[in-house]
Every structure is written in structure tokens, then in C-alpha cells.
Amino acid sequence: MGLSRIGVIFFLLPCAFYCIPPHDEAAKVARFVAHKCDWASMSTISTHDPVKGQPFANVFSVSDGPKGKGTGVPYMYLTAMEISVQDLQVNPTASLAMSLAQTKYCKKHSYDPQSPLCVHIILSGSVVKVNDTEASFAKQSLFSRHPEMVDWPSDHGWFFAKMNITQVWVLDYFGGIKTVTPEQYFSAEPFSTTTDFE
Amino acid sequence: MGLSRIGVIFFLLPCAFYCIPPHDEAAKVARFVAHKCDWASMSTISTHDPVKGQPFANVFSVSDGPKGKGTGVPYMYLTAMEISVQDLQVNPTASLAMSLAQTKYCKKHSYDPQSPLCVHIILSGSVVKVNDTEASFAKQSLFSRHPEMVDWPSDHGWFFAKMNITQVWVLDYFGGIKTVTPEQYFSAEPFSTTTDFE
């Protein structure tokens, strides 16, 4: 093998590990972003005065699996003391927005946060408590990426939850928002993300 | 003036320019975060199948004024081609979440994005088109911090909008979420933020 061929392989290889999937593979892109982002903005319908019935945005740490082992399922560590979680107890439908603006990616490429090139995804669905079997994986997923969680106040009644996804929306290129079904999303093989670009 | 006194002044001075206001001054904290953040997650009530009536999160670039000249009013540059803007045309009530997780601050201090120490705020209100008089300041505010906007496709019908804030929520310390009225928010004198910590 000539040196030039080795050069080409080394030039191409890194993208197998950390580059964003091609924009015509929206399901893969969604899985990539869902794994890259450590937090999300969650939208709920508020149950609190003076904004009862209005949409309410808030910030939550998420993890879809330990680094390099993303499942696509956004896990969260919640307490009923939290204002948005109280909304979910009345109406569990919610939406999670995650953007590569949360990483170094968009700044590095000078992509404005609102540009579709600064890739962002939206997950729609319901947020539910996970059962005991799944709680172990949820814990591993969250605590490995949010080590501070282990020390959160024990009297707050923390529990593990996840979003049951009903629809995925992807903004990763010009031409409008794309939709991805949960089936397409979960069957997509995300690129390995062992190398960080946060 | 002795050297020690000069030392004390230099030790204290930087905080006048870039430190977060004290957590017992929630209105100031809110103004600080609203100025620091270049983008926000906006929550709307969706008008789109299959999530009609459900909360919907999305990402938008914002600016409350040119750097160092924050007004507290989040301005946005919108087009009716956008899915969340279509929601606003039916129901303009919305919520904007902004977090210092969007800056280097939380990582630098090892604050988890969900921790109240990783300061985040939520603005509730209605998103409306600004009038011609205000459009000039909205443009200056947005284009100075989002230079890419000037080149966005002219056939998209972009317009300047703002949130009319009805309630401010602040998570900046332990002890639960704090509320700030629009009056408190707009009368708060934010710290000067000429030095970046993005």
C-alpha cells in the first residue's frame, strides 16, 4: 500500500468516529445529537399560576447512555419538587430540544445557533418514570455523565424517568424541518462518538 | 495608596464587570443571564400534527441588546416559514429558557446543567412582531451579535419580534425557583458585561 493511499485512509478515518452523519440521514443525525448533548430544554404545559395552560421551557440534564453507548432514549433524574415535573404529573406530554450549540461545534464552524447548520433536534413524547429493571441502566447512563447527581439531596425523592418518543424533528440543513419516526430513529446506527468535540 | 490597597481593588474590580450578581438579587441575575445568552429554547403550543396541542421546544437566536447594552427585552428574527413561528401565529404565548450551560461558566465551575448553581432563567410571555420604531433597535441588537443574519435568505420574509414578558423565573441557588415580576426585572441594573466568559 502506497503512502498516498495510507494518507487518504487517515484523512477519511476520523469521520467514522466523531463527524456528524450526512444530512440526508436524518435519523442518524438525530441519534448523534441525542447522544452528544448532556442536557436538553424541556417544554411542558404549565400547571402553575400565573401561566397555567401556557407552554413552559426549562433545563434538564439528560443522557441516552454512557459515552459511546447511546440508545436514543433520553433518561432524566427528576424530583416532584421541581416545577416542570409537577406539570408532567398532570400532563406527561413534553418536548425536548437539543442543539449542537450546546457543544463547541457551532462556534467552531461559525454557525449561528438558529441556523439549521447548527444542528438541532426536537423530541416529542411523554415523560414517564422508568421501571425497576430499566432504572439500573438509567442510573448508569446519567451518573456516568453527570457525576454530581450522586450527591444530590437524598430527601428530594429523586427518581429515574425517560421520554417515550412519539416523533423526532431534525433541523440539520437548508430546506425545512425533517421528521423521523421512532422506528427510524431507534433503528439508526449512530456514528461512534468516542471522540468528544464539546 | 499602599500596594496592598491597590491589590484589594484589583482583586475586587473584575467582578464589577463580569461576575454573576449575588443570588439574593434574582432580578439582576435574570438580566445578567438574558444578556449573556445568545440563544434560547422557545416553548410553544404546537399547531402541527401529530403533536397538535402539545408543548413544543425549539431553538432560536436572541439578543436583548448589543454587547454591554442589554435591555432585558429578548429580540428575535423570525419567519412564518418556521414551525414554531406558525404556532405563535395561532397562540403567541411562549416561554424562553436560557442557561449559563450555554456559556463556559458551568463547565468551568463543574456545575451540572440541572443544578441551580448552573444558573438558568425562564421568561414567560407573548412573542409579538415589533413596530417600525423598535425594529431599528431590534436589528442592531440582533445583527451585532448574530452577524450571519444579514445574509439569511431574503425570500423568507424575516421580521423582528420580541417577547412581551409577563413573568420571570430564576434558578440560581438552592431553595427552589424564584419569581421576578417584569417591573423588578426591567428596573434591575444588570452588571456590566463587557468581558465575555463564553
Side-chain angles (χ1 to χ4, degrees):
Chain A
M1 186 183 286
L3 265 180
S4 64
R5 194 174 294 180
I6 293 171
V8 167
I9 290 171
F10 271 88
F11 179 75
L12 294 174
L13 200 59
C15 260
F17 295 105
Y18 66 85
C19 289
I20 296 172
H23 62 78
D24 55 355
E25 299 190 50
K28 274 191 180 182
V29 172
R31 289 288 301 276
F32 182 87
V33 177
H35 187 61
K36 269 289 169 203
C37 292
D38 279 336
W39 60 276
S41 296
M42 182 160 66
S43 175
T44 55
I45 304 288
S46 182
T47 53
H48 297 273
D49 285 325
V51 295
K52 209 169 175 172
Q54 292 183 23
F56 192 77
N58 204 344
V59 173
F60 290 87
S61 292
V62 296
S63 170
D64 81 331
K67 284 215 171 178
K69 295 178 183 170
T71 62
V73 178
Y75 291 107
M76 289 175 274
Y77 196 42
L78 304 177
T79 162
M81 295 170 78
E82 211 288 326
I83 190 168
S84 298
V85 179
Q86 290 163 1
D87 297 341
L88 293 171
Q89 289 176 321
V90 175
N91 180 352
T93 60
S95 174
L96 294 174
M98 295 181 231
S99 168
L100 292 187
Q102 296 166 219
T103 72
K104 283 183 179 169
Y105 176 80
C106 301
K107 271 222 166 81
K108 190 177 159 188
H109 292 274
S110 296
Y111 294 151
D112 190 83
Q114 194 171 319
S115 164
L117 298 178
C118 181
V119 185
H120 40 293
I121 65 166
I122 297 139
L123 307 175
S124 292
S126 296
V127 176
V128 295
K129 193 173 176 176
V130 303
N131 63 27
D132 289 349
T133 321
E134 203 171 355
S136 165
F137 183 73
K139 184 176 181 177
Q140 189 194 344
S141 302
L142 285 158
F143 284 25
S144 63
R145 296 177 63 175
H146 301 276
E148 193 192 291
M149 283 180 173
V150 72
D151 293 321
W152 286 1
S154 55
D155 60 350
H156 278 33
W158 297 100
F159 62 91
F160 295 100
K162 65 174 176 181
M163 174 174 269
N164 278 335
I165 298 168
T166 56
Q167 178 89 317
V168 178
W169 317 74
V170 179
L171 275 151
D172 67 344
Y173 200 66
F174 308 112
I177 200 163
K178 300 167 195 167
T179 54
V180 168
T181 66
E183 294 69 30
Q184 291 165 331
Y185 175 79
F186 286 114
S187 63
E189 203 177 302
F191 281 27
S192 169
T193 56
T194 48
T195 306
D196 287 333
F197 64 119
E198 287 99 282
Chain B
M1 187 183 288
L3 264 182
S4 63
R5 195 173 294 180
I6 292 172
V8 166
I9 289 171
F10 271 88
F11 179 75
L12 293 174
L13 200 59
C15 261
F17 295 105
Y18 65 86
C19 289
I20 296 172
H23 63 79
D24 55 354
E25 299 191 52
K28 275 191 180 182
V29 172
R31 288 290 299 276
F32 181 88
V33 177
H35 187 60
K36 270 288 169 204
C37 291
D38 279 335
W39 60 276
S41 295
M42 180 160 68
S43 177
T44 55
I45 304 289
S46 182
T47 53
H48 296 274
D49 285 325
V51 296
K52 210 169 174 171
Q54 292 182 23
F56 192 77
N58 205 343
V59 173
F60 289 88
S61 292
V62 297
S63 171
D64 82 330
K67 284 214 172 181
K69 294 178 182 171
T71 61
V73 179
Y75 291 106
M76 288 176 276
Y77 196 42
L78 304 178
T79 162
M81 296 171 78
E82 211 287 327
I83 190 168
S84 298
V85 179
Q86 290 163 0
D87 297 342
L88 293 171
Q89 289 176 321
V90 176
N91 180 351
T93 59
S95 173
L96 294 173
M98 294 181 231
S99 168
L100 292 187
Q102 297 166 219
T103 72
K104 284 183 180 170
Y105 177 79
C106 301
K107 271 222 166 79
K108 189 176 160 190
H109 291 274
S110 296
Y111 294 151
D112 190 84
Q114 193 171 321
S115 164
L117 297 179
C118 179
V119 185
H120 40 293
I121 65 166
I122 298 140
L123 307 176
S124 292
S126 297
V127 175
V128 296
K129 195 173 174 174
V130 302
N131 63 27
D132 289 349
T133 321
E134 203 171 357
S136 165
F137 183 74
K139 184 177 181 178
Q140 188 194 347
S141 303
L142 285 158
F143 284 24
S144 64
R145 296 177 64 175
H146 301 277
E148 195 192 291
M149 284 180 173
V150 72
D151 293 321
W152 286 1
S154 55
D155 61 350
H156 279 32
W158 297 101
F159 62 92
F160 296 101
K162 67 174 176 181
M163 174 175 268
N164 278 334
I165 298 168
T166 55
Q167 177 89 318
V168 177
W169 317 75
V170 178
L171 274 151
D172 68 344
Y173 200 66
F174 308 112
I177 200 162
K178 300 167 194 169
T179 55
V180 168
T181 66
E183 292 70 30
Q184 293 165 330
Y185 175 79
F186 286 114
S187 63
E189 202 177 303
F191 279 30
S192 170
T193 55
T194 47
T195 306
D196 289 333
F197 65 120
E198 288 97 283

